[in-house]
Amino acid sequence: MGKLSSNDFLQNKLSDAKNHFERALDCKHTEFDDLYPYMIEHPQFFWYKRYVAWSELLTIVKLCVELEIEWQEHFTAKQAEYITSRVMSSRVLDEWYETTDSKEQVS
C-alpha cells in the first residue's frame, strides 16, 4: 500500500468533510449519529449536527489554505464563497445546492 502525499491526504479529507456536511444537510446518517445516538430525540440535534460538520469542513479548508493546497476546485463558486465567509447561516443551509431553476414561465 503506497504512502499518500500530504496534498493527497488533505484532498481526501476535504472530500470526506464535504460529504459529511452534505449528508448532515440532507439529514442522512453520519458518524455523529453513532457517537450521540440519544441526540436524535432532541429537536436541536440536526442544527448541532450541521454545525459540527460545518466546523469540520472549515478546519480542513483552513489547513489547505495554510499549506497552500487547492481546495476551491471541490466546490461551486457560491459554496467557496460561503466557506470563505466562514459563517453558517440559513442561507448556506438553503442554498448550498445551487439549483438551475429557470425563471421562464411555462404557458
Side-chain angles (χ1 to χ4, degrees):
M1 188 159 142
K3 220 176 181 186
L4 287 178
S5 70
S6 59
N7 183 42
D8 291 338
F9 175 79
L10 275 174
Q11 293 287 340
N12 289 342
K13 292 297 178 187
L14 182 62
S15 180
D16 291 347
K18 180 182 180 197
N19 183 48
H20 182 213
F21 178 66
E22 290 177 346
R23 289 186 65 79
L25 275 181
D26 297 338
C27 299
K28 293 183 179 175
H29 185 85
T30 68
E31 290 178 10
F32 190 79
D33 298 295
D34 297 332
L35 293 171
Y36 303 101
Y38 60 89
M39 289 286 290
I40 294 173
E41 301 167 12
H42 302 283
Q44 73 273 21
F45 170 74
F46 290 108
W47 283 101
Y48 188 68
K49 179 177 170 176
R50 290 171 180 161
Y51 172 77
V52 168
W54 180 248
S55 296
E56 175 188 18
L57 181 59
L58 293 181
T59 299
I60 299 297
V61 167
K62 182 178 179 185
L63 289 171
C64 288
V65 169
E66 290 176 2
L67 294 170
E68 299 178 356
I69 294 173
E70 176 58 45
W71 63 271
Q72 294 179 333
E73 64 191 19
H74 293 272
F75 302 92
T76 66
K78 198 67 169 171
Q79 290 171 343
E81 184 181 316
Y82 294 143
I83 292 168
T84 302
S85 71
R86 302 186 58 81
V87 176
M88 185 180 70
S89 65
S90 60
R91 185 171 192 175
V92 172
L93 298 176
D94 293 341
E95 299 176 11
W96 180 259
Y97 298 111
E98 292 182 31
T99 60
T100 54
D101 291 343
S102 173
K103 294 189 180 209
E104 297 174 17
Q105 296 284 330
V106 177
S107 303

